[in-house]
Each structure stands twice: as C-alpha cells, then as structure tokens.
Amino acid sequence: MVSGNFSRFGAAVVAVALAGCGGGGGDSEPAIAMSFSPNPLTATLLTSGPAVGVTVRATITNAPTTTVYAVVVADRPVVQTGAFAVTQVAAGVFSGTVNVSTTLAAGTYSGNFTLRLCKDTACASEYAVSGNNLPYVITVTPQLALTTSVNGVATAVSNAYLNVRSGDVVSVQSNVPVVWSASAIGSSATLNSTPPTVTVTSQTSTSWTGRLTNAAGSVGTSTVILSAAPATLGAPSRSLAIGVTP
C-alpha cells in the first residue's frame, strides 16, 4: 500500500509515492500509458450530505522501476483534502478512492482529473504519459426542503407537524422533484372514527394542494400524513403530519 495526502496543486492535488511499480527504467524510457476504470468517473451526492467515495483503478503500462511520485490534479476543487491510499491489486494495476468534496453547492460539475508521474516530490521533472486524463461528472442535489401554506397564507411547521381546521386548503412546495402520497387516520378520541377526506386539487412534482375535511360529526383531531419521496435515488424522504380539527 502506498499512502499520501491531498494538497493544493492547481485546483486540487494528491501526491503519492509508487515504489517499484515494475516496467522499464534507465536511460531509455519506454512509452508509459494509462487507462482507468470506471471512465468517466461519476458520482451523485446531496448538499451537506455524507461523503461519497468512488474507487478508481489505474492500469499503468511500462511504469518505471524507480520511485515515482504520482500527482493527481483536478481542474477544479471537487475532491476532499486529507489522507489518500493506493493499493496495488495486480501487476501494473493500482486502486484508490476519490472522495468527493462535501462542500460543493448544488449543480453538475464536469471536468478532468490528470494523473502525472513525477520524478521528484516537487514534480520539477515528470515522465511523458499518454491516456492519463480521467473525465468526471459529479452531480450535487440539494437536500429536500418543504414549505407550507394554509388557505394561501404561508404557515410555519414545527417538528414536522401542522395543525389546520376542517375544510382548510393546505399547499406544500418542494425544492426538488418528489413523489407525493397522503394517508388519512381517524381521530383517536372516537373508536373506529372515519378518517378525514383528502381532496387533491392540484399536484405536480414540486407542489401539492389539497382540501382536508373531517367526517360529519367527528370528534377530536384526525390526522393526514403527507409524504414526499425525492426522485433522486438515495435521497431521504420527508413526511408532514397534519392535524385536522373540527
């Protein structure tokens, strides 16, 4: 195993020492070639969410037998700084994990990583390498956030709970596309009480509007659970409990 650290070099850099890679050396240096898997590198994550690491394998043909200082340069700061480890998994094949920065704003980032093979720690001299660019596409999705209004008036939600009166019209907006679902629960104050009626008047991937009406003669507060499941795979869902009073 070979380890190193991310530091600044251009946009972003990790420097590691690859000792005894195998291959040629001496005065006559054979052509060095690289290939990567996966290619391109793709990653999807949430803003301020957990770190996402992508394991990449680099196959190096005719790697020098002397110590080589590998420098991975990103054309923009899209990776985390810190410890970086490389393992040799086969002859000429090395594996490492690229950890995407968790401070990126929502959006899509595309560009290239370049793997440079240097002859010294300062990279004052380096080997000529072909195929050492790895394209990347990183998609950062905003965390799901919901805003609500009752009868057209913006209304704050406390601890994912909203209280309304029977017949009120509730509107909920999402900042990202979601799949909506609503379930109704009768009042606990009456045995086998009838659940409230949910009449959806408008629905899109980012908004939901419905009128909530208690059954005639109902007693106590019934409940409607409105759930929003983001279309982005792996993004957490959110639910809003709406108490409906007579």
Side-chain angles (χ1 to χ4, degrees):
M1 178 181 290
V2 184
S3 62
N5 287 278
F6 280 100
S7 60
R8 287 290 174 188
F9 190 98
V13 174
V14 56
V16 298
L18 302 180
C21 294
D27 295 332
S28 178
E29 297 172 355
I32 302 173
M34 289 185 193
S35 62
F36 298 97
S37 178
N39 187 351
L41 179 151
T42 60
T44 301
L45 66 157
L46 296 171
T47 54
S48 304
V52 171
V54 181
T55 299
V56 178
R57 286 194 175 190
T59 300
I60 304 177
T61 303
N62 294 326
T65 55
T66 56
T67 298
V68 175
Y69 298 90
V71 178
V72 180
V73 182
D75 55 3
R76 58 199 303 183
V78 294
V79 292
Q80 293 186 33
T81 59
F84 182 87
V86 175
T87 56
Q88 184 168 2
V89 296
V93 181
F94 298 86
S95 177
T97 299
V98 176
N99 293 307
V100 180
S101 173
T102 57
T103 62
L104 295 175
T108 300
Y109 302 80
S110 60
N112 286 282
F113 295 116
T114 301
L115 178 55
R116 301 168 59 187
L117 300 184
C118 303
K119 300 179 181 180
D120 55 83
T121 55
C123 207
S125 179
E126 60 184 284
Y127 293 92
V129 182
S130 63
N132 59 334
N133 286 330
L134 173 62
Y136 66 82
V137 179
I138 298 171
T139 303
V140 183
T141 302
Q143 295 274 6
L144 171 60
L146 302 177
T147 56
T148 61
S149 62
V150 178
N151 299 325
V153 179
T155 306
V157 172
S158 177
N159 297 321
Y161 183 82
L162 176 68
N163 192 66
V164 302
R165 300 296 296 271
S166 177
D168 282 347
V169 175
V170 177
S171 295
V172 183
Q173 289 75 40
S174 169
N175 63 326
V176 298
V178 298
V179 176
W180 303 98
S181 62
S183 58
I185 305 170
S187 171
S188 59
T190 304
L191 185 64
N192 298 323
S193 65
T194 302
T197 299
V198 180
T199 305
V200 179
T201 57
S202 175
Q203 180 175 316
T204 70
S205 62
T206 56
S207 67
W208 183 95
T209 299
R211 184 182 298 275
L212 312 183
T213 309
N214 278 337
S218 64
V219 178
T221 302
S222 57
T223 305
V224 172
I225 304 297
L226 180 64
S227 299
T232 302
L233 184 65
S237 301
R238 295 196 178 225
S239 295
L240 175 64
I242 308 172
V244 186
T245 60

